[in-house]
Amino acid sequence: MIAVRSRGSRALVALGLMAVFLVAFPFVMPLIGGDVSLATRVLVLGLFGLGVDLIFGFTGLLSFGQAAFFGTGAVVTAYLLREHLVPNTLVGLALGTVAAAIAGIVVGSQSLRQVGVYFAMLTIAFSQLFFFLENAPLKAFTGGESGLPNVPRAAIPLGFTTLDFSSALGTYAFIAIFFFLSYMLMRRIIASPYGAVLGAILENPERAAAVGHDVLRYKLIAFTIAAAYAGLAGGLLGVFQGFVGPDAFSIDQSGQIIVMTVIGGAGTLVGPLVGAFIWLFLQSSLQSVDALAGVWKLILGIVFVLLITGFRRGVVGGIITFLRRRKKPLEADIATDAA
């Protein structure tokens, strides 16, 4: 009972800290050389990274095809809103998320039958397939290389009035609400019995199967949830930018979100958000310096290598490890004093 209460207290503290961070973040960013738009982009990619963290950090699946679901959610949401086929932004985002989840089921049901490098190669192949479909056969709906411009900003009609989130701070608040709810849901998933089974699969899938767990089914559920998170993040990006470009489906997008998750710390849930901030802030800062115009990617790569070398479990993972090591000697000292 005490352990359950302790876990519940830690969850409330984590959610409280996240809420405080989300409120303060857009006001802190200008003080360190950023702006509200950069803070919003960090939240979108942090949300995308939550799904990647579920399958990579908690399930052990390295997928290079998450951009397929990110782009699917972005295009479906943008198209529905542009053509006024849905009554409001929320419905468009919901349908875009569902479309991405369905795509996740299709891709996952085929690729998850393979393991290791073969699984990763299949996700790359599916990602390229989605990229081709977006740029050729379906370009009448996706815009092809031109993308989809003029995506309406977030607005929710309530009958007697309309909640308008079109301002920079309003868009940030709209996306921050989604991020907080998604973060809270992901914490519940990881803390649930389902999350415990994912941990067992990560540690030893053969043993998990031997005790009666349907490993493929559990992986497919996780993969579908990650696809839904990617689709929601893609839809929010389109609403935020007012435009969805073909790069939403690119393999670069898949690679970058993995890099962000690893930098921040896989298996921590907060890591993708931290990684997105580090990556985007450095990218923005380096691009703003004219003298580094031709080499900013090289510098970003060097920083990535240094971070991974210095923090084997990512920045957040490294901090957690440090605090745990500090806690053990303190507990030992308390036990010695009590004796």
Side-chain angles (χ1 to χ4, degrees), residues 45-72:
L45 293 181
L47 175 59
F48 186 9
L50 278 175
V52 174
D53 202 15
L54 175 66
I55 58 172
F56 179 50
F58 292 94
T59 315
L61 298 171
L62 181 57
S63 169
F64 288 97
Q66 296 309 106
F69 316 124
F70 184 72
T72 297

Side-chain angles (χ1 to χ4, degrees), residues 214-240:
D214 188 341
V215 173
L216 179 60
R217 177 171 165 269
Y218 276 91
K219 286 183 176 181
L220 181 58
I221 292 173
F223 196 82
T224 303
I225 294 172
Y229 269 67
L232 176 59
L236 288 171
L237 181 67
V239 171
F240 160 59

Side-chain angles (χ1 to χ4, degrees), residues 81-153:
L81 293 175
R82 265 173 41 104
E83 302 300 321
H84 305 289
L85 299 176
V86 290
N88 58 62
T89 307
L90 294 180
V91 177
L93 288 169
L95 293 176
T97 302
V98 170
I102 293 172
I105 293 173
V106 173
V107 173
S109 63
Q110 300 302 312
S111 58
L112 287 169
R113 300 180 187 279
Q114 305 298 323
V115 296
V117 66
Y118 300 104
F119 166 76
M121 290 172 63
L122 267 177
T123 60
I124 293 175
F126 274 111
S127 179
Q128 292 299 96
L129 174 62
F130 274 68
F131 185 78
F132 168 75
L133 290 173
E134 184 266 342
N135 275 283
L138 299 178
K139 65 180 181 180
F141 301 98
T142 65
E145 295 181 355
S146 301
L148 289 174
N150 304 317
V151 179
R153 292 301 182 104

Side-chain angles (χ1 to χ4, degrees), residues 206-215 218:
E206 291 79 12
R207 185 168 59 193
V211 297
H213 296 300
D214 188 341
V215 173
Y218 276 91

Side-chain angles (χ1 to χ4, degrees), residues 167-190:
S167 68
L169 197 57
T171 302
Y172 172 87
F174 183 76
I175 293 176
I177 292 170
F178 275 97
F179 180 87
F180 181 79
L181 294 175
S182 301
Y183 172 74
M184 181 170 61
L185 176 60
M186 189 63 77
R187 286 190 64 91
R188 293 293 298 271
I189 292 173
I190 298 303

